[in-house]
Amino acid sequence: MTTTSPAAASPVSRPLFIVLMVLVGLNLRPALSSLAPLLPRIEAQTGLPLLAIGALTTLPVLCLGLFAPLAPWLSRRLGVERSLSLALLVLALGLGLRGLAAPAWLFAGTLLAGAAIGVAGTLLPALVKRELPASADLMTGVYTMALCLGGALGAGLAIPLAEALGGWAASLTGWAGLAVLGLVAWQGLMPAAAPPAARPARTGTTRALLRQPLAWQVTLYMGFQSSLAYIVFGWLPSLLVARGYGEAEAGWLMGVSVMVQLGAALAAPWLARLGRDQRPALALVLSLVAGGFWVLLLGPADWRWGGAMLLGLGQGGGFSLALSLIVLRTADARLAGRLSGMVQGAGYALAALGPLGVGLALDLGWSLRAITLALLAVVAAAACFALLAGRNRRLMTDEAGRLTVR
């Protein structure tokens, strides 16, 4: 059985932890969502070719996948709380470097920001499982709502900040202030837990986790649904302009879609509790995603605002459920941390192919219909793995220390 040392327990109160969780969550999307609205200005000022612009949208998502597996390693050596402080510090540094405007610093800052988000986003689900075990799935919905709000603020304020601060570089750098605020609050109010007096019981090695089909089902669902999310962040305005909408309207349509994600992210875990497992909720949110893409890119123009809301409801709920599955499919916080590293590492590496693929498709002259059909195929792939990952199963260790599924 797994034991937890009393010394390892966090002294922070439940309401304060929720506030800190929300503040950290707000920092984990503006670095990604604030970039897309500014791409035309960046391209015009820096002279970067379309392929390099596409790489700039793909790099942070790829970094999420590459650096997420680093989180459990850091956690074991520094503690979860100190590791999260380090991630926020690196995030602020990366956002600051992007403000230097030169292409080399823009890519370097984006790489650091993506790495920091990959580590922080992997640590938080395990922390939620540790601090709020009885309501970990519902609190994951609150955390996901904070992520969505951060994404909406990044997308909506990118152009106004550029106008107010004098350029796209200052707009990108401005988000470093929020990261510094999060770092100060986290460092001051969430002190690191004392090291445990005894080595905790093993909860399954990463190698054992890689042999579990359930772990891969959650990972692949995360990967396919996340690829759709980052396609929206990186390319939806461009696709809508290709359909014939104006740039301003395309931006508003994306903004509405991202804003609608807030309520869906909070409601989806509650909806998932109504059934015996999460399969009905997962099927519902993915159906909304498919309907939203079809309406926006191929459906009647009069339905475009409804399509934006459908897409937002589906994507907010889909991402919230993906994070909820990490805590629902594991029996304890340590195992949740390891699964989180695997799911967000391999999942985001797969997700990085989404925006890269759309960029290549546009460069090759694919029609809007062909791109839409490709997006619907990704939704179908996500649905296949969602129906497997959504079953009522849980990874746990038996008395002999072996990783099993029950």
Side-chain angles (χ1 to χ4, degrees):
M1 295 178 64
T2 301
T3 59
T4 303
S5 169
S10 170
V12 75
S13 68
R14 176 188 172 111
L16 180 57
F17 173 75
I18 294 173
V19 171
L20 292 173
M21 175 186 71
V22 169
L23 182 57
V24 173
L26 284 173
N27 276 282
L28 302 188
R29 285 301 176 268
L32 309 176
S33 63
S34 62
L35 191 60
L38 298 169
L39 287 179
R41 301 184 183 209
I42 294 172
E43 183 180 8
Q45 183 173 332
T46 62
L48 288 172
L50 182 61
L51 187 60
I53 292 294
L56 191 61
T57 64
T58 303
L59 180 62
V61 187
L62 182 61
C63 287
L64 296 183
L66 292 178
F67 288 91
L70 185 63
W73 182 85
L74 281 173
S75 178
R76 288 193 298 271
R77 282 153 181 79
L78 303 178
V80 181
E81 296 84 358
R82 292 190 183 95
S83 298
L84 195 50
S85 294
L86 178 62
L88 289 169
L89 177 62
V90 173
L91 175 59
L93 177 62
L95 291 169
L97 287 179
R98 294 209 298 191
L100 297 179
W105 292 117
L106 181 60
F107 276 91
T110 300
L111 187 151
L112 287 177
I117 294 168
V119 170
T122 304
L123 292 171
L124 273 171
L127 262 176
V128 173
K129 181 79 172 181
R130 189 193 76 185
E131 296 292 327
L132 309 166
S135 55
D137 54 337
L138 302 182
M139 288 301 104
T140 299
V142 176
Y143 157 59
T144 310
M145 184 182 70
L147 289 179
C148 295
L149 178 58
L153 291 173
L157 295 178
I159 298 299
L161 282 176
E163 298 293 341
L165 300 178
W168 61 264
S171 177
L172 292 177
T173 303
W175 296 104
L178 183 61
V180 170
L181 175 63
L183 173 61
V184 171
W186 184 265
Q187 187 70 21
L189 300 176
M190 186 78 183
R199 183 182 178 88
R202 291 174 62 86
T203 55
T205 65
T206 300
R207 184 175 299 176
L209 201 60
L210 292 173
R211 294 196 294 265
Q212 290 292 339
L214 177 59
W216 281 107
Q217 290 156 12
V218 178
T219 297
L220 291 170
Y221 166 64
M222 168 67 91
F224 283 114
Q225 73 84 28
S226 293
S227 72
L228 296 168
Y230 292 113
I231 286 169
V232 168
F233 277 138
W235 292 109
L236 183 61
S238 299
L239 294 175
L240 292 173
V241 169
R243 166 116 201 239
Y245 299 122
E247 288 187 354
E249 187 174 19
W252 278 111
L253 284 166
M254 177 183 171
V256 167
S257 181
V258 175
M259 284 299 297
V260 169
Q261 291 182 22
L262 301 178
L266 187 60
W270 292 89
L271 178 65
R273 283 194 168 194
L274 297 179
R276 296 178 56 189
D277 55 39
Q278 289 73 50
R279 286 177 292 180
L282 288 163
L284 174 61
V285 296
L286 289 171
S287 298
L288 294 175
V289 171
F293 274 125
W294 181 84
V295 170
L296 281 173
L297 301 180
L298 296 179
D302 291 344
W303 297 0
R304 60 191 181 279
W305 295 103
M309 288 187 282
L310 284 178
L311 182 62
L313 288 171
Q315 291 201 305
F319 183 55
S320 181
L321 289 173
L323 294 180
S324 295
L325 288 176
I326 294 173
V327 297
L328 290 171
R329 298 288 89 92
T330 51
D332 57 74
R334 283 173 57 84
L335 191 51
R338 293 186 178 185
L339 181 61
S340 181
M342 175 181 172
V343 167
Q344 300 197 58
Y348 285 138
L350 173 62
L353 299 177
L356 179 62
V358 171
L360 290 174
L362 290 171
D363 198 39
L364 293 172
W366 281 28
S367 69
L368 199 58
R369 177 174 293 275
I371 292 175
T372 304
L373 292 176
L375 294 176
L376 295 180
V378 176
V379 175
C384 291
F385 292 106
L387 294 177
L388 295 170
R391 295 174 298 169
N392 190 13
R393 304 285 190 272
R394 179 174 288 189
L395 292 159
M396 59 181 61
T397 50
D398 60 19
E399 293 183 355
R402 295 171 300 189
L403 188 62
T404 62
V405 177
R406 294 179 183 173

